[in-house]
Amino acid sequence: MAYFLFAGDMLVMAFMMIVVVWVSLKSSKKSMQKTAQIPLNDEQRDG
């Protein structure tokens, strides 16, 4: 049973890595920069 869970986890991890590579290859550099800045600029300041 443990091997089945481990194999499933490895398949999911491989799928996620393939999705990241595919999205990064298909996106423009400008859109990738904008997306990368989202976690850094997520706070709203009422100043």
Side-chain angles (χ1 to χ4, degrees):
M1 183 69 176
Y3 289 121
F4 177 72
L5 292 174
F6 180 74
D9 286 343
M10 291 299 110
L11 287 173
V12 169
M13 182 73 77
F15 173 74
M16 289 190 292
M17 290 182 351
I18 289 169
V19 168
V20 168
V21 169
W22 180 67
V23 168
S24 65
L25 289 176
K26 295 292 181 181
S27 298
S28 67
K29 188 168 185 168
K30 185 177 180 180
S31 69
M32 289 295 287
Q33 281 287 51
K34 186 177 178 182
T35 304
Q37 293 296 319
I38 291 173
L40 302 175
N41 300 325
D42 66 344
E43 295 181 7
Q44 302 223 352
R45 299 178 189 227
D46 297 328

